Amino acid sequence: MVGPNGEQVGIVRVEDALRLAEEANLDLVEVAPMAKPPVAKLMDFGKFKYEAAMKAREARKNQVNTVIKEIKLRPKIDPHDYGTKKGHVERFLKAGDKVKVTIMFRGREQSRPELGFRLLQRLASDVEELGFVESQPKQDGRNMIMVIGPHRKKSETKAHTAGQGQNRSVPSPRAAAAAAPRPAASEPAADGAAVSGPA
């Protein structure tokens, strides 16, 4: 048996261990049932469960999930469509996600893998400021696949965007009212408004 402060009590009969737990107002918890003899510990079981849950929550909070986004292209993609897809890749990389770029070959296109290779190389050079080629282009059946990883990790991106949000100043309503333009005295009065002066 192990005491509440981690001290070794020694081999104790079950009845004596239960009596000691009752006297100390603690629970008798079996921590190593497979050991010979089995090991039990005097502890506050509710507090132990609470601390274990808090540790698990902290571990989950510090864990960053790496997401792999996928973009699919065709070898003979229209320039406008290419620009749109490139924009998506840039957005994913800025958010700290990896991007899997897939070139899909159909029919006779399969005999021209160099078209897909050139397109992937072009995309990699277009987004090199935001990401790097993590996995070089390789043929996988009818597809050619390349993975681009971000230069900045997701956790760093989140910290950076949070810092930018804190530095943004918001004008007070009074300052906004003072900055609003006022009508000049020479402007004509609105329809239906009384105009002072000689009749």
Side-chain angles (χ1 to χ4, degrees), residues 34 53 88 101-102 109 112 122 124:
M34 303 308 288
H88 291 322
V101 186
T102 305
E109 291 172 350
R112 302 284 306 279
R122 178 182 162 200

Side-chain angles (χ1 to χ4, degrees), residues 90 93-94 123-132 148-152:
E90 287 172 344
L93 291 172
K94 280 178 187 169
L123 180 64
S125 65
D126 286 349
V127 298
E128 66 184 351
E129 288 182 13
L130 300 169
F132 62 98
I148 303 174
H151 288 309
R152 185 183 284 170

Side-chain angles (χ1 to χ4, degrees), residues 101-147:
V101 186
T102 305
I103 304 276
M104 299 179 297
F105 296 98
R106 287 187 190 154
R108 291 184 188 172
E109 291 172 350
Q110 291 180 64
S111 62
R112 302 284 306 279
E114 68 277 0
L115 291 174
F117 185 78
R118 261 186 259 143
L119 185 60
L120 290 175
Q121 296 254 304
R122 178 182 162 200
L123 180 64
S125 65
D126 286 349
V127 298
E128 66 184 351
E129 288 182 13
L130 300 169
F132 62 98
V133 178
E134 195 172 278
S135 171
Q136 290 295 332
K138 59 177 180 282
Q139 192 85 23
D140 180 20
R142 290 184 169 196
N143 300 332
M144 186 176 278
I145 295 165
M146 177 179 77
V147 178

Side-chain angles (χ1 to χ4, degrees), residues 10-33:
I11 297 173
V12 182
R13 290 187 327 155
V14 176
E15 294 81 11
D16 295 339
L18 287 168
R19 184 176 48 77
L20 286 168
E22 202 171 314
E23 285 171 7
N25 199 21
L26 294 169
D27 301 308
L28 182 67
V29 180
E30 194 173 31
V31 289

Side-chain angles (χ1 to χ4, degrees), residues 9-66:
V9 177
I11 297 173
V12 182
R13 290 187 327 155
V14 176
E15 294 81 11
D16 295 339
L18 287 168
R19 184 176 48 77
L20 286 168
E22 202 171 314
E23 285 171 7
N25 199 21
L26 294 169
D27 301 308
L28 182 67
V29 180
E30 194 173 31
V31 289
M34 303 308 288
K36 293 202 188 265
V39 180
K41 185 176 181 181
L42 291 175
M43 65 168 77
D44 183 344
F45 191 60
K47 184 181 175 186
F48 170 75
K49 278 175 73 176
Y50 173 74
E51 286 173 354
M54 290 301 288
K55 278 181 191 170
R57 189 186 295 172
E58 281 296 315
R60 278 199 304 274
K61 195 191 293 181
N62 295 332
Q63 182 181 344
V64 177
N65 293 332
T66 304

Side-chain angles (χ1 to χ4, degrees), residues 64-69 92-98 150-161:
V64 177
N65 293 332
T66 304
V67 180
I68 297 184
K69 305 282 189 180
F92 295 147
L93 291 172
K94 280 178 187 169
D97 295 321
K98 291 183 183 182
H151 288 309
R152 185 183 284 170
K153 290 181 184 171
K154 195 152 194 169
S155 54
E156 292 171 18
T157 307
K158 280 185 179 174
H160 181 70
T161 51

